[in-house]
Every structure is written in C-alpha cells, then in structure tokens.
Amino acid sequence: MSEVAPLISDLAIILIIAGIVTVIFKWLKQPVILGYIVAGIMAGPSVSLVPTVSDPANIKIWADIGVIFLLFAMGLDFSFKKLINVGITAIVATVTIVCGMMFIGYTAGNAMGFSHMSSIFLGGMLSMSSTAIVFKAFNDMGLLQQKFTGIVLGILVIEDLVAVVMMVVLSTLAVGKHFEGKEMLESILKLAAFLIFWSALGIYLIPTLLKKIRRFTSNEILLITSLGLCLGMVMIATKAGFSAALGAFVMGSLLAETVEAEKIVHIVQPVKDLFASIFFVSVGMMIDPAMMWEYAVPILILTLLVLSGQVLFGSFGVLLSGQPLKIAIQSGFSLTQVGEFAFIIASLGVSLNVTDKYLYPVIVAVSVITTFLTPYMIRLSEPAYRFIDIHMPESLKDYLVHYTSGAMTVKHQGTWHKLIRSMLVSVTLYLVVCVFFITLYFSYVHPLIRKSLPGMEGNLLGFIIIFLVISPFLWAIIMKRNNSTEFRKLWTDNKFNRGPLVSIVLVKILICTIIMMSIITHLFNVALGAGLVVSSIIIAVIYFSKRIKKRSLTIERQFMANFQGTDGNGLSTESDTGSTLGSNIPFKELHLADFTVSPDSIYVGRTLKESSLRTLFQINVISITRGEKRLDIPQGEEHLYPYDKVTVVGTDRQLESFRTSMEQKKVERNGNGTSSQDEMEIGQFPVEGGSPLIGKTIREADISDSIIIGIERSTVNIMNPDPDTIFKENDTVWIVGKRKIIKGLNKD
C-alpha cells in the first residue's frame, strides 16, 4: 500500500487547520494573518491536541518560497511612481519613525538583557508597521477618503522600501558580528548601485518585452513569465550577495511599471496567498506558548513601547513635515502595530543564527496584540486630538499653526540649485549603468572571449563590445542638461556664470575620459599617457557622433515611455501627501478624493449645474471618468451617469458630507498610458510683479483645463472665487489642474 510523502501530509495538515482557524477569525472580524499564526501554533510541535507536522524542515522550504512571493506581491504594489508621489511628508515621517523606533528597540533590548545583535534586530522589527493591516482597517472603517489615510499609506510605502534595505544591512551586520563602518558603507553603496542598475535596466527592458508579446500571452503564460522573472531576479540577487527577498521585491516593483501590472497582480494573487499563508503558519509553528508565558513581561513592555513610540514618533514626524496637528495625531495612532516585515526580519535572524531563540515568539506575540488593537487605536486618535487641543497652551498652538503654514508655502528653487540637482541625478544614474555594464563584461563575458579568442584580437573585440554598450550612456553623461532651460538661462543672464557652467561640462567629460581610460589600460596594457590620449579621442568621437546621440535619446525616450506607461487614468489621488499647501486652515485641508456614482443616486441623469455640488458641499468636480475615457474640468452641462467615477476636491468635512449621496469606491487604474504630466493635482502659483494676470479677472485669464479654488491675499482669503474676481499683485492662487499647467504657471 502506497504512503503519502511527509511533504504532502504536512502541507495537508497546515492547510486544513489554517482553513478552519481563518474561517473562525473571519467570523470574529479579526485579521486573517492572526488566524494563520494561531493555526501554526496548533500545527506546531508545542501543541498535541491536533495532528502536528512531522518534518518542519519541509515547511521551511515552503515558507521560504512564501517570503519570496510575499515580497514579490509587495513589489507589485510598490511602483516607482508611488515612491515619487508620496511626497516629503511620508519621507520625513518615515525617517523619524524608523530612527526613533530603532533607538527604542535597541535600548529596550539591552535593558531587558537581550544580546547585542538581538537588540539591533529588535529595533528593526519594531520600526515596521503593517501595510495590510492598516489598509484593511481603513477600508473597514470607511476612512480611505480621509486626508490622513493618504499620508499613512505613503509612509507605509516608504517603510516597505526601508525594510528591504534594512534586511540587507542587518545581514551584513550579522555576518560581520560587529559594526565596521567601511564595510557597512561598501554594502550600502553596493546595494544602491544594484538597485539603480537593475531598476533602470528593468524599466527599459521588461515593459518593452511585455508589450511585444502582449498579443500572444494568456493568463497562464503571463503567470509563468512573471514568476519566472521573479525567480530569475532572486537568483541574480543571491548571486550578487543579497537576499532572495530583495530580488523578489525588485522584480515586483519593475513589473508594477508595465502595462500588464494589474493583470499580473490579479493572476499572482492566489499563488501569493497560498505561499504567504504557509509562511505565516510557519511563523506560528516556531512559537512555544510556554515560552510566551515565560516572557510575558518583555512582551507587555514591548507592546507598550510600540504603541507609545509609534504614536510619538509618527505624530512628530508628520508634524515636522508641515502637516496640521490633527492629521499628525491621526497618522501616528494609525501606525501602532508590528507588521509582516517584522516576521521576515525575525526569520532572517533565525536563519543567520544571530538572534536569541526567544526573540521570535516574543515579537510575534507583540505583533498579534498590536494588530488586534489597531482599529481601537485609530478610533482613539480623535479623542486624543481633542484632549491635546483643549489642554495645549495657546502660544504653542499659534507656533504650530505658523510652523505648518510656513512649511507648506510655495518655495522657489534657485536656478543653480535646479540645474545642479538634475545634473547630479542624471550623471549618477548613467554612471552606475556604465560601471555595472563594465563589471558584468569583465566578470562574465571577457573570460569567455579570452578562451575562444586569446590575445589582441580578443581584447579588441571586447573593447568594441563595451564601447557599443556604454557609448550612449557616456554621451548622456556629457550632454544631458547642457541645453536645459536652467542652463540657457544662467548662460544668458550673467557672463560670470559661463565659467562655472563650462567647468561643469568639463568635469563630466573628465569622468567619461577616466572611465574609457580605465577600460583601455586594462585591456591593452598601455602607458597611462597613451591611454589618456586615446581615451580623449574616443570621448571626442562620442561627443560629436550623431548616431550615438540618436541611440542615447532613443534609449531615454523608451525608458521614460515605459516609466510613464502604466499611469492609470492620470489622476493622482495621493498627491495631497506631497503637494504644497497653503498658509491658511481651509487650504491646508484640501485634497483630492474619488467617488463612484451609485445607480440609485439622486444625481444620476442630472447635470453638474443642476446638482449644485459646489453650492451644497463646497466641493469642486475635477474630472469624470466614464469607462476608459476621462473628462477633465467638466462644464456645468455635463451629466452624471451610473458608475461614473467622479474626482472632487474639498476638505475632509466637505467630502464626508458629500459621501453620503455617492457610493464610495476607489478609482481603479486602467493602464491607458496617461503621462504623469497629465495627472490632476492641487497646486498654487504666485501672481508676482509684472505678471500678465494682474488686473485680469479669472474669466479673462482663461486658464484652460483647471479650476481656481482659492486666492490668498494679505488681507483676506477667497474660497471658490467668482469668475469676475480680479487678480492682484502678490496673490497666491490655488488651482486644481494638470501638473504641466501648474508647472507652467509657476514658471511664468
């Protein structure tokens, strides 16, 4: 009689137990992740009431695959455009939270007698909140349209990226057993170069590849291709000395930039759910309830530290970035849980055998408790704000109002600052790409060529290959931004600017010459002087070559097209987290939100003028998305139809009153390839001396594809101004429109 292999029987046990337990947790309206952990405890060796797993090593393999697909799915939800859109608020808050919680975790670990390495890992675990838990809580509580939720989700996006970087840093630290500044710096630079190179190469190649084969792909083929790319990047990452999780996350974020992103998310979801559930079950299997009871005091202490620390540092970070006190407190209270990345970091410590054995169950217990408390902490934010607002001294209130106002006013960057920053970004990007291609050639291609074609012929062939590959990027290093608006403005405005500008170009030429000279001297063993002369000639050829210029521009255009190619319907519903806001309370609270017209809404069939939305709710309709078409800045005669997706701008209170008559639903991305310059966002521009707008009415100004929602003046603030309102010098005009229009108005 044949027997079932232990791998199959163990998998059957954990899935059956997980299925039963998660149904119970769903009925209790608790997060499913907690159900998986409880199922793991029941299936583990510590509990004998139910059949237990016979070979935990088998489950570890499944769990490792689960981590890969979990990070892959997180990468799919990440997207580089999200990183750009989250804004300075999310970045400042994340840095504050991570630094603060790392310090608290490390200090608490040392105080409770944890080992040095366990304390470091503990700090990393406590600094990560849960994207899945927070999003579910917001959705269940109907808060997704609130302004603070956009900020919180932006923070979680940055935290996901920080967690991936942290895993690499902790791995390096764990292997070395002690802190080596030089080694750590090398690891960080290596990681940065890896991310830049593969991100740039991936954005250029992968969307193009998927576009080419799109008409041949079915869901099955797309699933296999996506998982193959994921595991391929896992192999590349591990070969480069990084974790498999990093490779999976990078590939997920690259696929998020493709036209097939939504479909990939949909078809990969069941695979991710299966293996992620096994991972969370394996987390529970490593927990010994007796040990949790033994360490009840540290668990309680760490739970209190997470709750208080996240509230403190989260609120302070958001406040520091210039957001109002209420939004800061709401954000801080929403982040009070230990997330799924903590389990991954804990698993990393166990696999490297550098953390104490009791740390894993302790952090899981803290995560379970804080996850359970998340909805209650979110609800507590409002009373907490009211309490603080009542008891806060008036002088401190005034200071915070002035601080948040000053932090959010329009800032005009100097021309030199803009030019230097843009040049640094482009030079760094292309330089990293060149160095990586050269490294790949000498590590893998050159040895193969030397085997089949030794001597001068092989070296010459190798040089030609390298030259053809990197010459477009060398041209870009030299020429990019040399003809930009800022460069030309500085050149024509003041003749004394020309010396520094020429020096900058010469420095870029020198960088390229050094790169080329290093290749020549390595391949041909020539003298330094001869190498310099030959390199200079080659750089001159690159500089004047029209063919290389054309190739470089073609590569850049393809890259930018791929990068912007999945930008949904062009609406930036997250733009409020990064937009500059006004200096008075009504303007600071404005943000964009999306609603879907329900079939039974009283507004179905009415025109916008008949609906009187601006009069009733003080909101402005920015666009209407109907199917795959979007109508920007609709006129009053435009009708509303069932399932129209309406984007409006208003404050939390205004949007909440409007929500009762509309079916709330998040606008889905439709992948129609709208450029990021066509995204709708809230912005502002100053009416400075000499502006052609001075003395004109709003109607006469005829600013197309936009709505003016407010004007700030030294004596009065005008909300929803009348079309006959006249622009005056030093007005700050608040506008909702396409990004390129707002940028143009600021330049003018």
Side-chain angles (χ1 to χ4, degrees):
M1 182 177 178
S2 61
E3 294 185 0
V4 177
L7 178 65
I8 304 299
S9 60
D10 289 346
L11 189 60
I13 289 172
I14 64 174
L15 290 181
I16 291 172
I17 296 176
I20 295 172
V21 174
T22 50
V23 168
I24 296 173
F25 270 70
K26 195 72 175 177
W27 176 64
L28 295 173
K29 297 183 179 180
Q30 296 302 314
V32 175
I33 291 176
L34 298 185
Y36 290 139
I37 294 173
V38 172
I41 295 174
M42 296 175 64
S46 302
V47 177
S48 57
L49 298 177
V50 296
T52 57
V53 170
S54 60
D55 189 359
N58 287 333
I59 303 304
K60 186 181 184 305
I61 296 174
W62 290 106
D64 291 341
I65 299 174
V67 172
I68 290 173
F69 288 130
L70 186 63
L71 268 293
F72 180 57
M74 288 182 176
L76 283 170
D77 190 53
F78 176 75
S79 167
F80 292 99
K81 285 190 286 295
K82 276 189 179 180
L83 181 61
I84 293 172
N85 288 335
V86 292
I88 193 65
T89 295
I91 295 172
V92 171
T94 302
V95 171
T96 305
I97 292 168
V98 171
C99 293
M101 294 305 295
M102 284 283 290
F103 174 77
I104 284 181
Y106 179 77
T107 304
N110 280 330
M112 291 186 290
F114 293 4
S115 68
H116 173 68
M117 196 59 65
S118 291
S119 299
I120 294 176
F121 271 74
L122 177 63
M125 296 175 206
L126 297 187
S127 63
M128 296 292 114
S129 299
S130 172
T131 305
I133 299 301
V134 171
F135 183 84
K136 185 179 185 304
F138 285 162
N139 189 52
D140 292 346
M141 299 170 71
L143 297 174
L144 284 175
Q145 300 293 349
Q146 297 290 308
K147 182 177 181 180
F148 81 93
T149 61
I151 293 174
V152 171
L153 295 175
I155 292 171
L156 293 169
V157 167
I158 303 295
E159 281 192 354
D160 286 347
L161 181 61
V162 171
V164 173
V165 176
M166 188 182 295
M167 289 170 61
V168 177
V169 174
L170 290 176
S171 298
T172 304
L173 196 60
V175 172
K177 299 291 184 181
H178 58 281
F179 182 81
E180 287 286 350
K182 182 180 178 182
E183 182 181 344
M184 185 65 67
L185 180 61
E186 289 176 354
S187 298
I188 293 174
L189 291 176
K190 182 181 176 183
L191 172 63
F194 179 87
L195 292 175
I196 292 172
F197 175 77
W198 284 108
S199 298
L201 187 65
I203 291 175
Y204 177 73
L205 291 179
I206 293 175
T208 304
L209 171 66
L210 292 183
K211 286 177 185 176
K212 297 286 186 184
I213 66 172
R214 189 176 188 182
R215 60 195 179 99
F216 303 110
T217 57
S218 61
N219 284 353
E220 178 185 359
I221 294 174
L222 188 59
L223 174 63
I224 294 171
T225 303
S226 302
L227 297 184
L229 289 171
C230 170
L231 296 177
M233 183 56 75
V234 165
M235 293 175 60
I236 292 173
T238 52
K239 189 76 174 177
F242 300 111
S243 67
L246 174 66
F249 184 86
V250 169
M251 182 50 65
S253 62
L254 293 177
L255 289 174
E257 307 300 332
T258 68
V259 294
E260 302 287 0
E262 286 190 24
K263 187 182 288 187
I264 292 172
V265 171
H266 177 71
I267 61 178
V268 168
Q269 187 71 30
V271 179
K272 187 269 291 185
D273 289 343
L274 171 62
F275 287 104
S277 65
I278 296 174
F279 166 71
F280 288 118
V281 170
S282 71
V283 169
M285 289 173 59
M286 298 181 67
I287 297 175
D288 184 354
M291 185 177 289
M292 291 177 64
W293 178 254
E294 180 183 351
Y295 289 92
V297 173
I299 290 171
L300 179 61
I301 292 173
L302 291 177
T303 300
L304 294 175
L305 286 177
V306 169
L307 297 177
S308 57
Q310 288 283 7
V311 168
L312 175 63
F313 293 113
S315 301
F316 179 71
V318 175
L319 192 64
L320 188 65
S321 69
Q323 295 294 336
L325 179 63
K326 181 179 180 180
I327 290 175
I329 292 175
Q330 288 175 315
S331 301
F333 273 78
S334 301
L335 295 166
T336 53
Q337 68 288 133
V338 174
E340 50 272 9
F341 258 116
F343 303 150
I344 299 173
I345 294 174
S347 300
L348 178 66
V350 172
S351 64
L352 295 173
N353 198 28
V354 294
T355 55
D356 300 320
K357 63 178 181 178
Y358 50 77
L359 182 60
Y360 199 103
V362 165
I363 200 65
V364 172
V366 173
S367 176
V368 169
I369 297 171
T370 53
T371 297
F372 176 77
L373 293 175
T374 295
Y376 303 102
M377 293 297 293
I378 295 174
R379 291 192 184 100
L380 188 61
S381 63
E382 285 276 359
Y385 165 71
R386 289 195 295 268
F387 177 83
I388 293 173
D389 188 56
I390 292 172
H391 294 85
M392 181 181 290
E394 289 298 324
S395 58
L396 183 56
K397 282 186 187 179
D398 292 339
Y399 174 78
L400 289 178
V401 169
H402 283 92
Y403 174 78
T404 55
S405 300
M408 298 171 133
T409 53
V410 177
K411 296 179 177 64
H412 298 282
Q413 294 177 324
T415 307
W416 271 110
H417 176 76
K418 290 181 181 179
L419 179 64
I420 296 297
R421 188 182 67 173
S422 61
M423 279 190 171
L424 280 175
V425 171
S426 64
V427 169
T428 301
L429 173 62
Y430 291 118
L431 184 60
V432 168
V433 171
C434 287
V435 171
F436 246 91
F437 274 127
I438 294 169
T439 304
L440 288 175
Y441 171 80
F442 281 109
S443 299
Y444 301 102
V445 180
H446 190 60
L448 296 176
I449 293 177
R450 290 297 300 270
K451 281 183 181 180
S452 56
L453 195 63
M456 178 62 71
E457 294 83 357
N459 290 337
L460 188 59
L461 176 61
F463 177 77
I464 293 172
I465 292 173
I466 295 178
F467 176 79
L468 291 175
V469 171
I470 70 171
S471 57
F473 305 108
L474 293 178
W475 184 91
I477 290 175
I478 297 171
M479 299 301 296
K480 285 297 293 180
R481 309 302 298 173
N482 291 355
N483 198 36
S484 64
T485 304
E486 294 83 5
F487 193 99
R488 293 198 306 270
K489 186 175 187 300
L490 290 168
W491 185 271
T492 56
D493 280 357
N494 192 331
K495 65 180 181 179
F496 294 106
N497 288 335
R498 297 179 182 181
L501 290 172
V502 171
S503 300
I504 291 173
V505 176
L506 290 176
V507 168
K508 296 197 292 181
I509 292 174
L510 179 62
I511 291 172
C512 295
T513 304
I514 292 173
I515 292 174
M516 190 57 64
M517 187 170 64
S518 65
I519 296 171
I520 291 172
T521 54
H522 186 82
L523 285 174
F524 301 106
N525 196 26
V526 297
L528 197 61
L532 179 60
V533 172
V534 175
S535 300
S536 301
I537 295 172
I538 293 173
I539 294 301
V541 171
I542 293 174
Y543 183 89
F544 292 106
S545 173
K546 292 183 179 179
R547 180 171 294 183
I548 293 175
K549 173 183 177 181
K550 183 178 179 181
R551 282 183 57 211
S552 179
L553 294 176
T554 301
I555 291 172
E556 183 181 22
R557 278 196 296 268
Q558 184 64 58
F559 178 88
M560 294 308 299
N562 289 343
F563 184 68
Q564 297 173 350
T566 59
D567 203 52
N569 54 24
L571 290 177
S572 178
T573 58
E574 300 158 327
S575 63
D576 57 283
T577 63
S579 60
T580 52
L581 299 174
S583 60
N584 289 280
I585 295 298
F587 297 127
K588 286 193 297 183
E589 296 180 356
L590 292 173
H591 63 106
L592 298 175
D594 303 309
F595 298 88
T596 298
V597 181
S598 60
D600 56 351
S601 171
I602 60 173
Y603 299 110
V604 171
R606 292 186 181 183
T607 64
L608 293 178
K609 186 175 182 180
E610 292 169 343
S611 300
S612 302
L613 301 182
R614 187 169 184 174
T615 303
L616 294 174
F617 305 105
Q618 289 77 53
I619 61 172
N620 288 284
V621 177
I622 304 307
S623 69
I624 299 174
T625 303
R626 189 172 295 142
E628 294 187 355
K629 296 182 179 180
R630 193 188 80 201
L631 177 65
D632 293 334
I633 316 300
Q635 300 301 310
E637 291 72 27
E638 187 65 35
H639 288 77
L640 292 174
Y641 297 102
Y643 304 109
D644 276 356
K645 290 154 178 85
V646 183
T647 299
V648 300
V649 60
T651 64
D652 283 345
R653 182 174 297 178
Q654 293 163 354
L655 295 174
E656 181 62 27
S657 62
F658 175 58
R659 185 173 69 91
T660 58
S661 58
M662 306 289 280
E663 182 180 278
Q664 180 180 336
K665 185 177 180 182
K666 186 179 179 181
V667 173
E668 298 181 357
R669 299 179 181 269
N670 57 31
N672 62 8
T674 304
S675 166
S676 63
Q677 293 298 313
D678 290 331
E679 287 186 356
M680 306 294 288
E681 63 176 28
I682 303 174
Q684 55 180 317
F685 66 90
V687 180
E688 298 173 333
S691 170
L693 294 177
I694 295 176
K696 288 186 177 181
T697 64
I698 294 176
R699 181 182 285 109
E700 291 170 343
D702 192 26
I703 302 174
S704 60
D705 293 330
S706 58
I707 291 179
I708 293 177
I709 58 175
I711 297 176
E712 290 184 65
R713 287 183 179 156
S714 57
T715 56
V716 66
N717 291 331
I718 307 172
M719 289 284 289
N720 296 323
D722 188 88
D724 294 321
T725 302
I726 297 174
F727 290 112
K728 296 183 179 180
E729 186 175 349
N730 297 324
D731 279 353
T732 297
V733 181
W734 282 84
I735 186 172
V736 177
K738 293 181 179 179
R739 182 176 296 172
K740 61 184 179 183
I741 292 175
I742 297 175
K743 282 187 176 180
L745 290 169
N746 274 291
K747 287 180 181 178
D748 295 339

